[in-house]
Amino acid sequence: MAPAPARRGVAGWAADLAMGARFAVTGGREGWARTLLTALGVGLGVTLLLLATSVPEIISARDSRSHARTPTVSLSNARGPETLLISQVHTTFHEEDIQGVRLYPEGDRATAPPGVERLPATGEMVVSPALGRLLDSAEGERLAERLPYRVTGTIDGLGLLGPHELFFYAGVDRATAVDDDYFRADGWEAGPGSAEEFPPELVLLIVIGCVVLLMPIVIFIATAVRFGGERRDRRLAALRLVGADGAMTRRIAAGEALCGALLGLAVGGALFALARQLADRVEVWGYSAFPSDVTPAGPLAALVLLAVPACAVVVTMVALRGVAIEPLGVVRQSRPRRRRLWWRLLLPVLGLGLLLPLIGGYSGTGGTETAQVTAGAVLVLIGTTALLPWAVESVVERFRGGPLPWQLATRRLQLGSGPAARAVSGITVAVAGAIAVQMLFASVEAENTKVTGQDTTRAQFVSGIELRNGLGMERVIDAFRDTEGVDRAVGLVESLVTPVRPDGRPAEPGQEQWLTYGACDSLRELARLPDCRDGQVYLVAPASDDDPAATPRPGDRLDLRADATRPAKDTRHLWTVPRTAQRAESRIDPLGSEFTGVLVTPGALELSRLDGAYLRTMLTLDPAVDDAMERARNTEARFDERMNGWATSDTKENEQFTDVRRGLFIGATATLLLIGASMIVSMLEQLRERRRLLAVLVAFGTPRATLAWSVLWQTAVPVVIGLAISVAGGLTLGTVLLRMVGSPVAVDWTSLAFMAGTGAGVIALVTLVSMGPLWRMMRPDGLRSE
């Protein structure tokens, strides 16, 4: 038969691609199954890529709304028709952050914040929908005790960071708003806010995290467009038999892949639209977004829409370059040519070549540096994945003998290990990247996490209340002690006092001293007082300070006023340290601080003489009592609506680092779900390719359990090899990244084993899920062929 006339140029390419697309949709049930699997695989990847391209818009919209509801501090601090008195409130309920603003409009033209129709009147409160639902629930009854306002409205999306944010505005009266905690505002901010600068190590963590999270998606898309490779080769051999040349058959194959990729774009767009509409119903790691925020950035979305079809064509053409398609068959059906190693090693070498010059000199500020780090990390991870097919091929060719399931599995891998290697390539690159990120993450976490020194065994909750308007110390402490779930309450009144010179003038600013008032049992939390009795006074110097003059001495006079810039006219504001005052050794308190100053028992000084006294109460809670922490917070709110209390903690994290970590966890969760879904699709595609072979083996008497074990072994071998490669690649990349930020190289082997085990667990779970379809494919009707 004469060969078909050659078609050249763009028209020839278009005609051949169109013919391949027709084969994809007119190939009967087998053709449609192959195309739909490709479309589903590509669609899953496209969905996550579109979500990733929406992240900049989500962050931008969130920052804009945050900036818009920020009060504008009055520069003149003069009362006017548009001014408001504002105090910001923060509390915690069941580890959920609740923020609010208390306000009092001073004029009749004061504007309401974004998302609020009118300013709440005294005793009223407008809440976010999520907070409203919480307050209406049975769980929120205890929170309602802490917010003694009547709910009169709801804040719409313009005034919230996200649909699940817990936020409120509460109206107060004039008498409450004159407190020092309030400030005068002219209105609310307008326009974009300023971007927050990140330190270099956090910039690097963000860049590498994005690379690691997106790489498995790209690799899976490249894998999905190669579904049905073996059957496709036999179809291409038939095309060669009717006169098509090699180049034409490759273009037709690319057209089939292109059709699946285009359908995948449609599937991905539909899934993205569904996910976008459900965005306000989902909260991941404390973050949520409105559907309107989930909008792909134009250039990034265009890049995805163009790159995915291009990837389908390029991957198919590259995959067929090493395949000789002849009229009577393809080379792949005989012993394949050995894979080359040199170019697979060249990729990570080039990546390390880009990263090594940045060791010790990475600043995280330049776009060139960011591009260099991104390119280097991508090359290292791609190189790690590219090594997997070569390693699997090199290892399995040495397998001989063994049980029957093992022989079936190894023989299958020896005949064609490509599909099995590609199926676990996503896990390989994910684990390699996760190891590198974890090494960098551990270093950044150490630098952005501070040890507070707080002793959580001596106090679990600390309340801070200003004693004003006749509020008594004992009244507050008794209320805490009567609160269910509070085992012990230690109350100390703190006040800053100023030494007075012999001529009656106050000491220079910066020489103020702390005076702490309390019972002996409470004072022992600050110093060692073996013989404490009521009426005694103790002078405490820091343990590291040998100069006793650093603290007041017996006979010194102290000004008890909060503002002692001028000599006191009333002797009531002056107090003389008794000659009987004793020296005491300081002790680290439950909050991790070392006290320095004067300790006074009730019998030595009247509490009413202290100006600006501040009651600090440290609580020990009973873990057996439900909601003990929330009950304590409610008791505090009865005496101070500012709710300044906090739970003690061993460590404290930088807020920027906390946001980055939360973002990485969100991305990792989405990527892991994609990897699991994509592997299920890949496994189904492989089983569909072997359906007839499996049915034949069962028909000849092969036990189904033997075939099931063979499938497990076919998955296990590439997994073990892939995890070994990913560990080596991840350690190498992580070491270079740590050197870039000047951190010592340290490996958390427990975390490394956990990540490798997670990768293996995902694959094992996917393989077990595939047992159901495998059992159905081994039925006799699998012998049917079209």
Side-chain angles (χ1 to χ4, degrees), residues 178-225:
V178 296
D179 184 78
D180 293 338
D181 189 49
Y182 284 76
F183 64 91
R184 181 168 281 116
D186 293 329
W188 311 93
E189 295 281 359
S194 58
E196 190 174 12
E197 293 186 0
F198 282 75
E201 62 272 13
L202 281 183
V203 174
L204 183 60
L205 183 61
I206 294 171
V207 171
I208 299 301
C210 292
V211 170
V212 170
L213 294 176
L214 294 179
M215 281 296 298
I217 305 172
V218 176
I219 288 178
F220 174 66
I221 290 176
T223 301
V225 298

Side-chain angles (χ1 to χ4, degrees), residues 87-424:
S87 173
Q88 295 176 327
V89 185
H90 174 268
T91 187
T92 303
F93 183 74
H94 291 169
E95 299 185 356
E96 292 282 349
D97 288 335
I98 301 174
Q99 294 184 343
V101 174
R102 295 176 300 159
L103 47 83
Y104 172 78
E106 293 185 297
D108 55 0
R109 295 208 304 266
T111 58
V116 177
E117 293 184 0
R118 66 173 182 86
L119 290 171
T122 301
E124 294 181 347
M125 177 173 64
V126 290
V127 300
S128 65
L131 181 57
R133 291 191 296 270
L134 178 59
L135 291 173
D136 291 338
S137 66
E139 181 187 17
E141 291 182 0
R142 185 157 288 119
L143 176 61
E145 299 176 14
R146 198 180 312 168
L147 302 175
Y149 307 101
R150 182 168 54 89
V151 177
T152 59
T154 302
I155 307 171
D156 65 29
L158 293 177
L160 299 174
L161 301 185
H164 292 269
E165 184 185 18
L166 304 176
F167 195 82
F168 68 91
Y169 292 97
V172 299
D173 55 22
R174 174 74 182 178
T176 302
V178 296
D179 184 78
D180 293 338
D181 189 49
Y182 284 76
F183 64 91
R184 181 168 281 116
D186 293 329
W188 311 93
E189 295 281 359
S194 58
E196 190 174 12
E197 293 186 0
F198 282 75
E201 62 272 13
L202 281 183
V203 174
L204 183 60
L205 183 61
I206 294 171
V207 171
I208 299 301
C210 292
V211 170
V212 170
L213 294 176
L214 294 179
M215 281 296 298
I217 305 172
V218 176
I219 288 178
F220 174 66
I221 290 176
T223 301
V225 298
R226 297 183 64 180
F227 284 172
E230 296 183 0
R231 290 180 179 270
R232 177 199 61 200
D233 294 345
R234 291 194 287 272
R235 291 193 307 276
L236 297 180
L239 290 174
R240 292 283 284 125
L241 186 62
V242 297
D245 59 16
M248 182 178 178
T249 55
R250 285 192 290 271
R251 291 194 292 269
I252 292 174
E256 289 190 66
L258 177 62
C259 179
L262 293 176
L263 288 177
L265 286 177
V267 172
L271 293 177
F272 171 76
L274 177 62
R276 185 174 187 266
Q277 292 303 315
L278 299 177
D280 56 350
R281 304 183 184 181
V282 178
E283 185 178 16
V284 182
W285 297 101
Y287 267 57
S288 60
F290 292 103
S292 59
D293 296 342
V294 187
T295 302
L300 295 178
L303 179 62
V304 171
L305 296 178
L306 294 176
V308 170
C311 174
V313 174
V314 171
V315 168
T316 304
M317 298 294 289
V318 171
L320 292 177
R321 287 185 61 184
V323 179
I325 302 174
E326 301 297 338
L328 298 179
V330 295
V331 173
R332 185 174 288 159
Q333 290 178 322
S334 62
R335 185 174 182 81
R337 184 177 62 180
R338 288 187 59 84
R339 290 180 168 86
R340 298 176 181 177
L341 177 62
W342 67 269
W343 68 268
R344 303 174 192 272
L345 291 176
L346 182 62
L347 293 176
V349 170
L350 290 176
L352 293 175
L354 291 173
L355 297 176
L356 291 177
L358 297 176
I359 289 181
Y362 180 75
S363 63
T365 56
T368 303
E369 277 190 347
T370 301
Q372 187 173 345
V373 170
T374 303
V378 168
L379 286 173
V380 171
L381 293 176
I382 290 179
T384 301
T385 307
L387 283 171
L388 179 60
W390 175 86
V392 172
E393 180 183 76
S394 300
V395 171
V396 299
E397 70 177 4
R398 293 174 172 81
F399 289 155
R400 297 290 185 275
L404 182 57
W406 173 261
Q407 292 187 44
L408 289 174
T410 56
R411 183 55 181 162
R412 175 65 189 176
L413 292 173
Q414 288 169 351
L415 289 175
S417 59
R422 289 194 297 270
V424 299

Side-chain angles (χ1 to χ4, degrees), residues 529-683:
L529 310 174
D531 60 345
C532 181
R533 294 185 302 274
D534 189 28
Q536 286 185 321
V537 175
Y538 297 91
L539 306 176
V540 183
S544 58
D545 194 343
D546 298 329
D547 182 11
T551 55
R553 293 170 294 183
D556 287 354
R557 287 194 302 169
L558 302 176
D559 193 330
L560 305 180
R561 294 176 301 166
D563 182 9
T565 56
R566 297 179 181 179
K569 297 181 180 180
D570 189 348
T571 57
R572 177 178 173 79
H573 296 147
L574 299 178
W575 180 70
T576 302
V577 178
R579 296 289 180 180
T580 58
Q582 303 177 23
R583 294 282 175 182
E585 182 182 354
S586 66
R587 178 191 180 194
I588 301 298
D589 67 13
L591 303 185
S593 302
E594 183 182 18
F595 177 79
T596 303
V598 185
L599 298 180
V600 181
T601 55
L605 176 67
E606 293 181 12
L607 180 59
S608 60
R609 295 177 63 185
L610 292 176
D611 185 18
Y614 185 85
L615 174 61
R616 181 176 69 180
T617 311
M618 296 175 286
L619 306 181
T620 303
L621 305 177
D622 184 356
V625 176
D626 183 43
D627 274 355
M629 181 78 70
E630 306 308 328
R631 297 174 191 270
R633 292 183 188 276
N634 286 353
T635 300
E636 179 194 41
R638 284 165 45 194
F639 299 101
D640 190 348
E641 59 183 6
R642 291 175 295 184
M643 299 177 285
N644 290 326
W646 73 95
T648 58
S649 175
D650 297 325
T651 59
K652 182 179 181 181
E653 290 182 349
N654 183 329
E655 292 185 3
Q656 290 179 326
F657 171 75
T658 303
D659 291 339
V660 171
R661 181 180 64 176
R662 189 175 298 169
L664 289 177
F665 283 170
I666 293 173
T669 301
T671 302
L672 191 61
L673 291 175
L674 171 75
I675 289 175
S678 64
M679 289 199 62
I680 291 176
V681 176
S682 297
M683 184 68 70

